[in-house]
Amino acid sequence: TTTATTKTVASAETAAATAASEQADGPAPTTAAAADGSGWPILLACGGKDVGKSSFARYALNSLLNTQRQVAYLDCDLGQTEFTPPGLVALTLHTRPVLGPPFTHQCRPLRQYCLGSLSPKDHPATYLRAVFALIDTYRQHCDTHGRIPIVINTQGWVRGLGLPMLLDILRQSQPAVVVQFNSASAPSRNAPPLADCLPAETLVFSPEEVENSPQPWKLQVVEAHQSEGRNWSPSQKYTPRDLRCMALQAYLTQTVHGPRPLTHQQPYLVRWDQVAVCFLVDDVTPANYLHTLNACIVGLAHDRSVRPADCFFKASRPGFHACERSVEATPCLGLGVIRAIDCARGLFCIVTPVPAEELQHVNLLF
């Protein structure tokens, strides 16, 4: 873990709080203002791995709650999510301070997308579409319920393909304040100075859009230093993999009461012919579809464009429907575990904390 110099962190947080307090109580921005990013109280944290972005984002969220009625949080880090299981990008709303490691405060997002991976490297376009959709959701929420500040925590991949993805998120979100964390002990992990590389790199924008993209944000650069001694927080004894496992377990056991293992929870029975299955990897052969799904974590979604009966059939089981992966991101209602498959009756046995009234609308597993 890392800690940033107190003076620089304080100045960055003060700038973010000032931007939010000046704008949160004003009228919602017009369409023209929304297009160029003006009027949006947005704080974005970026930098390489293990430089303190998540800790700072929690600190900024809690500090903003001292003066704001509600604060939004956009989590773009698939591998180290804060409020959802790993593999999701999500927009959450908060009215209370956030304390403890991620597995202690799993919550219901306003909207979320499941990428099914800990990194966007295999499907960067889908990842960016999901993040852009969440930014649009935030703005729509502000238009309807009044403006609130938002903290955006980005991924730690800031080299190679990760850099244009970060820059495109900057262009789409148009933050008021950008806090760039640099590691003093591992400079090879650092992103190039954003002010120097912004005009060049992009994945989804045209050259004209890049050239005309405004840069209204205030850039704060924070030098992060490795902690020394034994002044560690309890969460620092856990590895990133440990935190992911505990977050997933905390999410799946939300509806488990008492000391009962997840396998003792009564599953929902879902008919094969009522859902389509989309595999997020390309190396699964039709003969292994059911073997792959058994004891697998799946995303649960309702997609109006998907009709299970119209999906092409590749498996040797009647009623089983598979569909191709779309480059478009599909909102996810939550995750579940296919605990067992009843081939004789054509049923999936799914354990999930998603409420039954929402689960009945699910028509896509991925």
Side-chain angles (χ1 to χ4, degrees), residues 9-321:
V9 169
S11 64
E13 195 278 331
T14 300
T18 301
S21 62
E22 288 178 350
Q23 301 165 19
D25 297 327
T30 62
T31 303
D36 67 8
S38 61
W40 294 108
I42 298 175
L43 165 65
L44 184 144
C46 63
K49 296 180 179 179
D50 300 325
V51 293
K53 296 188 304 299
S54 297
S55 298
F56 172 80
R58 285 195 301 270
Y59 173 73
L61 173 65
N62 291 338
S63 297
L64 289 169
L65 283 172
N66 289 328
T67 57
Q68 307 299 318
R69 57 184 172 82
Q70 190 178 57
V71 179
Y73 189 100
L74 174 54
D75 199 342
C76 305
D77 191 345
L78 293 169
Q80 291 298 121
T81 51
E82 187 68 40
F83 300 105
T84 64
L88 298 167
V89 289
L91 175 66
T92 52
L93 302 176
H94 304 274
T95 57
R96 296 181 179 181
V98 175
L99 305 174
F103 62 86
T104 64
H105 47 247
Q106 296 289 292
C107 65
R108 184 84 173 161
L110 179 65
R111 197 175 183 88
Q112 60 186 336
Y113 291 85
C114 178
L115 276 296
S117 175
L118 301 181
S119 170
K121 63 182 179 64
D122 292 329
H123 302 281
T126 303
Y127 169 78
L128 285 177
R129 284 183 172 88
V131 173
F132 290 1
L134 292 175
I135 294 171
D136 291 340
T137 299
Y138 159 72
R139 289 176 172 154
Q140 293 165 7
H141 179 84
C142 290
D143 289 339
T144 305
H145 299 90
R147 230 177 318 173
I148 60 172
I150 183 173
V151 177
I152 302 178
N153 186 28
T154 58
Q155 59 174 347
W157 183 20
V158 293
R159 292 285 183 174
L161 188 62
L163 180 59
M165 282 195 286
L166 170 61
L167 298 178
D168 284 344
I169 292 174
L170 274 169
R171 294 186 183 99
Q172 185 71 13
S173 61
Q174 293 294 300
V177 178
V178 176
V179 184
Q180 180 177 356
F181 286 83
N182 289 330
S183 172
S185 58
S188 61
R189 296 181 179 179
N190 297 337
L194 294 183
D196 298 337
C197 63
L198 194 60
E201 306 274 353
T202 182
L203 283 182
V204 296
F205 290 100
S206 67
E208 294 78 13
E209 290 174 319
V210 170
E211 181 152 352
N212 297 327
S213 176
Q215 300 178 26
W217 52 80
K218 179 178 180 181
L219 179 62
Q220 298 273 352
V221 179
V222 176
E223 291 294 329
H225 298 274
Q226 187 70 28
S227 298
E228 296 180 359
R230 297 186 178 182
N231 296 322
W232 292 357
S233 66
S235 63
Q236 292 182 12
K237 64 183 179 181
Y238 301 118
T239 66
R241 181 177 181 180
D242 293 335
L243 292 173
R244 287 193 292 267
C245 291
M246 287 187 285
L248 182 60
Q249 185 177 21
Y251 170 80
L252 291 172
T253 56
Q254 289 179 84
T255 57
V256 177
H257 303 289
R260 300 174 56 198
L262 188 63
T263 53
H264 288 191
Q265 186 176 357
Q266 186 173 4
Y268 294 99
L269 301 181
V270 181
R271 290 168 46 187
W272 291 356
D273 59 0
Q274 296 299 309
V275 294
V277 178
C278 175
F279 290 92
L280 301 184
V281 293
D282 301 325
D283 55 354
V284 180
T285 61
N288 291 321
Y289 278 171
L290 293 180
H291 296 290
T292 304
L293 287 172
N294 194 26
C296 183
I297 299 172
V298 293
L300 310 172
H302 172 66
D303 190 340
R304 295 181 180 178
S305 65
V306 172
R307 294 183 57 192
D310 295 337
C311 295
F312 63 85
F313 178 75
K314 283 188 174 181
S316 58
R317 298 285 182 176
F320 184 91
H321 305 286

